[in-house]
């Protein structure tokens, strides 16, 4: 029994330590991968939107555009030039659903594609108006449903229009903006997800989902996840990771803030999927340990059987010797035995009486 304990004990400890170390290593690797994915995705989204903001800002400095606005104080905008410039901005890249120009009160002056019902409407209540006024420079808004044709879900990239000689400190002449379609953002997120093999979600500064993992695009509705505890660290500007339960399934989640936008990138993977390799490793280790345990138990059984047979044989020999000793001691004739070299090896009671030894 001691042999079995001393043999199987270390094997059990080796098995447990191997699986434990593997789980820790995989857990660390998964955590690092999730963090890296969320941080890289946040950086890529930031670059994408920064590129759009830079594009709008570049168009906002066009002299023809500034000149067409220059007479706007008395309502004499050059509408034809404004429409042409706004239309050029709209056609400058894919993913834009509209472009517009407003005055400094955020009242629409020109819009493409043509949407007469929008002209003259004031949108000072919109996040893009509040944001561009507060920042004094390019701003990307939270998601909303626009009033232009089709009423798509969009975010607005907007920049102030200033005279060429303005160093950025003066009052803007107007605001130029594009409407970035969220279906384009969804394609962007899907491409990142396919490339990295991890589910990805992008939410804006209000917590609205801008891009969801494949199969969950129904989440792209105008509802806020701002109160989600998982996002609080990221909204505060800090990256983090945790484990949680969603719809009864355990998942690992990492969040990273999208700097300068106030958005958040969320990378997640089901815990079972993340640790599938550990499960396979555990199964292999347990199988090997099981085989070794059987071998050790088999060896222990054969050893115990051999020891038992030896003990039986020794007991048989002792019994035979005792029986022979009894017969010789009971004999009336003297008996003694000698080895080849003359040493006495046997001597009974009658021999003692006969020889006096």
């Amino acid at each position: 029994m001691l042999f079995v304990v001393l043999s199987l004990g270390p094997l059990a400890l080796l098995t447990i330590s191997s699986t434990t170390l593997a789980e820790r290593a995989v857990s660390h690797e998964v955590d690092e991968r999730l963090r890296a994915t969320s941080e890289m995705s946040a950086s890529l989204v930031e670059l994408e939107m920064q590129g759009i903001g830079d594009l709008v800002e570049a168009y906002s400095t066009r002299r023809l555009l500034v000149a067409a606005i220059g007479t706007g104080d008395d309502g004499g905008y050059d509408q034809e030039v404004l429409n042409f410039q706004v239309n050029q901005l709209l056609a400058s890249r894919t993913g834009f659903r509209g472009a517009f120009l407003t005055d400094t009160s955020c009242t629409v002056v020109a819009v493409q594609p043509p949407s007469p019902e929008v002209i003259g409407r004031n949108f000072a209540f919109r996040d893009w108006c509040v944001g561009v006024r507060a920042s004094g420079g390019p701003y990307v808004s939270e998601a909303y449903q626009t009033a232009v044709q089709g009423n798509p879900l969009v975010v607005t990239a907007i920049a102030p229009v200033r005279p060429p000689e303005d160093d950025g400190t003066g009052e803007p002449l107007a605001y130029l903006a594009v409407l970035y379609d969220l279906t384009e953002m969804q394609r962007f997120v899907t491409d990142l997800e396919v490339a990295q093999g991890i589910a990805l979600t992008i939410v804006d500064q209000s917590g609205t989902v801008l891009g969801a993992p494949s199969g969950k695009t129904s989440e792209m509705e105008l509802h806020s996840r701002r109160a989600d505890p998982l996002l609080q660290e990221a909204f505060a500007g800090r990256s983090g990771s945790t484990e949680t339960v969603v719809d009864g399934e355990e998942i690992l989640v990492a969040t990273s803030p999208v700097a300068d936008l106030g958005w958040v990138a969320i990378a997640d993977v089901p815990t079972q999927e993340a640790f599938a390799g550990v499960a396979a490793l555990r199964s292999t280790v347990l199988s090997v340990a099981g085989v070794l345990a059987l071998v050790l138990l088999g060896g222990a059984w054969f050893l115990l059987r051999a020891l038992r047979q030896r003990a039986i044989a020794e007991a048989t020999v002792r019994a035979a010797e005792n029986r022979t000793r009894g017969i010789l001691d009971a004999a009336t004739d003297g008996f003694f035995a000698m080895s080849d070299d003359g040493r006495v090896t046997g001597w009974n009671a009658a021999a003692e009486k006969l020889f006096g030894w």
Side-chain angles (χ1 to χ4, degrees):
M1 180 60 69
L2 180 61
F3 173 81
V4 173
V5 172
L6 293 177
S7 300
L8 295 183
L11 178 60
L13 290 175
L14 178 62
T15 302
I16 294 172
S17 61
S18 297
T19 54
T20 301
L21 289 174
E23 288 177 359
R24 288 178 181 175
V26 172
S27 177
H28 178 73
E29 180 183 349
V30 170
D31 184 68
E32 289 298 314
R33 184 184 175 196
L34 277 175
R35 285 175 177 267
T37 297
S38 64
E39 290 172 0
M40 182 175 68
S41 300
S43 296
L44 291 174
V45 169
E46 182 182 7
L47 287 174
E48 170 77 359
M49 300 313 299
Q50 185 179 18
I52 295 173
D54 291 344
L55 178 64
V56 176
E57 187 174 29
Y59 270 80
S60 72
T61 61
R62 287 188 167 189
R63 291 185 177 276
L64 288 176
L65 178 67
V66 172
I69 298 172
T71 57
D73 292 338
D74 58 0
Y77 291 106
D78 190 333
Q79 201 67 45
E80 184 177 351
V81 173
L82 291 181
N83 288 336
F84 178 79
Q85 294 294 324
V86 170
N87 192 57
Q88 278 200 321
L89 174 59
L90 174 61
S92 62
R93 59 161 290 173
T94 59
F96 291 166
R97 286 298 297 270
F100 62 88
L101 181 83
T102 75
D103 61 19
T104 54
S105 70
C106 293
T107 298
V108 177
V109 175
V111 61
Q112 293 292 329
S115 303
E117 68 279 7
V118 175
I119 298 295
R121 285 184 58 182
N122 181 269
F123 291 95
F125 63 92
R126 288 290 193 194
D127 172 66
W128 51 260
C129 181
V130 175
V132 74
R133 283 175 167 178
S135 69
Y139 177 77
V140 179
S141 77
E142 61 188 36
Y144 67 99
Q145 191 168 28
T146 181
V148 301
Q149 292 180 6
N151 304 117
L153 298 179
V154 299
V155 294
T156 293
I158 188 167
V161 180
R162 290 188 171 92
E165 63 277 5
D166 193 320
D167 60 0
T169 60
E171 290 297 320
L173 300 174
Y175 298 115
L176 180 66
V178 292
L179 304 174
Y180 184 70
D181 197 337
L182 291 193
T183 58
E184 186 70 17
M185 176 61 74
Q186 181 60 54
R187 280 193 290 270
F188 184 76
V189 169
T190 300
D191 289 343
L192 287 178
E193 180 182 346
V194 171
Q196 299 176 90
I198 291 179
L200 182 65
T201 304
I202 304 296
V203 300
D204 66 15
Q205 56 268 55
S206 69
T208 301
V209 176
L210 306 178
S214 301
K216 294 184 179 180
T217 53
S218 60
E219 293 186 8
M220 291 181 60
E221 300 174 356
L222 294 181
H223 67 274
S224 176
R225 291 180 56 184
R226 183 83 192 190
D228 190 337
L230 293 175
L231 304 181
Q232 296 309 304
E233 288 290 310
F235 279 129
R238 297 183 292 271
S239 298
S241 62
T242 188
E243 186 172 0
T244 187
V245 177
V246 177
D247 297 330
E249 181 181 32
E250 292 184 352
I251 61 172
L252 299 171
V253 182
T255 58
S256 293
V258 180
D260 298 331
L261 295 181
W263 296 2
V264 175
I266 309 166
D268 67 81
V269 63
T271 303
Q272 185 175 3
E273 179 182 324
F275 288 95
V278 173
L281 177 61
R282 184 188 299 113
S283 177
T284 301
V285 170
L286 290 176
S287 298
V288 173
V291 172
L292 291 176
L294 289 175
V295 171
L296 288 173
L297 289 174
W301 182 81
F302 279 112
L303 178 59
L304 291 174
R305 187 169 180 270
L307 291 175
R308 184 178 179 186
Q309 290 178 340
R310 178 180 175 179
I312 292 173
E314 289 177 347
T316 302
V317 171
R318 284 194 300 270
E321 289 178 346
N322 291 334
R323 187 167 54 252
T324 301
R325 170 61 58 185
I327 293 173
L328 292 176
D329 285 343
T332 57
D333 295 329
F335 170 83
F336 69 92
M338 296 180 66
S339 64
D340 292 342
D341 59 358
R343 293 178 180 274
V344 176
T345 60
W347 193 265
N348 69 348
E352 289 180 15
K353 295 178 181 179
L354 180 61
F355 295 102
W357 292 86

